[in-house]
Amino acid sequence: MRTDLDDLLRDGSWRLDEPAEAEFRLTPATTAGRGALVERILGRPEPDPELWESVLIEALLDHPVADGLRTLRLRLTDFHHSARRTAIAIAGRPRPALTELSFGHGFRFLFENATTSTGRALDALQFHDVGLVGDAGHAMWRALPSLRTLTVEGAFVFHGVESETVTDVRLRGVVSSDGSILPGPLPALTTLTLEIGTDVFGTECAVEQLEELTPVDYPSLRVLDLRKAQFDTPDVLEALSGMPIRAQLERVLIE
């Protein structure tokens, strides 16, 4: 059942700047109103409100208007369901027009409990080594043959980023399911921005994580932006100077 686009946009969670840009962020809504919308979309009631976010996202990504999107920004709330289901929805068809993707969930301190749309505490650490998207990521990356700009935010979102085309990446958090900050290899990447601070336990990121930035895995990397990255040493430049990647970097930005 195809959803009426105006009906979907009236919910307020989707913002669509026609014809090329869409942004999703779950907005407050009456339970009855959103539940009724989800029932119209599905043709049946969905009793679990924490699944409603996924339904709203899937409805637009399955709509013809999504075929022409060049920019897609997704800030998830019930990410324990919607991250994987969103990846599957993106992979539902090739999206050759899409060049910019933002995907993830917000947080103040890394690994802190999130709050679902129903007010329930959600332990992000349960997704360590599992990943929010899991194996659904493989098909999602294949559906994005023109991706150039990527932002990933949160903890344990992907097993990896599989792209031959992405050139500009911003990573906020520990986005790889194994707890590493780098989800490559990314052969076309030229600019990498890392944003990571003290986690909810007061622990800082080990500077040794930057050793994963190898010339083999990141042969095109030229700019490394660490202005919002907090490591367990005050002299990041000194640590970086002993790593092979340093020779190919044209700029390293540090506060």
Side-chain angles (χ1 to χ4, degrees):
M1 179 179 180
R2 177 137 289 154
T3 307
D4 179 81
L5 185 60
D6 291 336
D7 194 20
L8 182 60
L9 294 178
R10 271 192 294 271
D11 173 81
S13 298
W14 275 109
R15 190 184 75 192
L16 184 62
D17 296 328
E18 293 188 74
E21 184 173 324
E23 181 172 347
F24 181 88
R25 184 187 299 253
L26 196 67
T27 58
T30 64
T31 300
R34 182 161 289 155
L37 171 60
V38 168
E39 183 173 350
R40 290 195 296 276
I41 292 171
L42 296 178
R44 59 170 176 80
E46 171 48 68
D48 185 355
E50 292 182 5
L51 290 173
W52 294 353
E53 175 177 76
S54 301
V55 174
L56 298 181
I57 293 172
E58 290 165 338
L60 188 129
L61 292 178
D62 188 48
H63 194 280
V65 73
D67 292 344
L69 290 178
R70 293 194 297 270
T71 298
L72 178 61
R73 300 189 183 98
L74 302 159
R75 171 67 76 90
L76 308 177
T77 297
D78 293 320
F79 53 81
H80 55 311
H81 295 304
S82 57
R84 180 176 176 81
R85 289 179 57 166
T86 296
I88 292 171
I90 291 173
R93 63 183 69 163
R95 301 184 188 272
L98 196 68
T99 60
E100 180 179 348
L101 175 66
S102 180
F103 191 115
H105 62 89
F107 62 93
R108 186 176 59 158
F109 295 110
L110 190 62
F111 306 138
E112 68 185 358
N113 283 349
T115 303
T116 70
S117 61
T118 64
R120 186 171 63 88
L122 181 62
D123 180 8
L125 285 169
Q126 69 181 289
F127 297 101
H128 182 256
D129 280 337
V130 177
L132 293 173
V133 168
D135 58 8
H138 302 303
M140 189 193 87
W141 300 120
R142 289 196 298 270
L144 302 173
S146 305
L147 188 65
R148 295 291 183 273
T149 302
L150 174 68
T151 296
V152 185
E153 185 174 15
F156 315 130
V157 182
F158 295 113
H159 288 325
V161 176
E162 303 162 18
S163 176
E164 300 289 323
T165 60
V166 69
T167 60
D168 193 323
V169 171
R170 170 180 168 257
L171 304 175
R172 179 173 182 258
V174 171
V175 300
S176 293
S177 58
D178 64 359
S180 66
I181 59 175
L182 301 172
L186 295 170
L189 183 66
T190 60
T191 300
L192 175 62
T193 300
L194 296 177
E195 299 183 10
I196 186 168
T198 304
D199 68 22
V200 73
F201 307 108
T203 305
E204 296 172 330
C205 183
V207 74
E208 285 80 12
Q209 288 236 30
L210 294 177
E211 293 176 353
E212 297 178 21
L213 281 174
T214 65
V216 171
D217 288 342
Y218 301 88
S220 303
L221 186 64
R222 298 296 179 266
V223 179
L224 180 61
D225 188 344
L226 302 176
R227 287 175 291 181
K228 293 184 179 180
Q230 186 173 346
F231 293 97
D232 61 355
T233 176
D235 200 338
V236 177
L237 276 178
E238 181 179 350
L240 193 62
S241 68
M243 300 178 191
I245 196 69
R246 184 65 184 93
Q248 73 183 49
L249 295 176
E250 298 172 357
R251 283 191 294 158
V252 179
L253 305 175
I254 296 180
E255 282 288 300

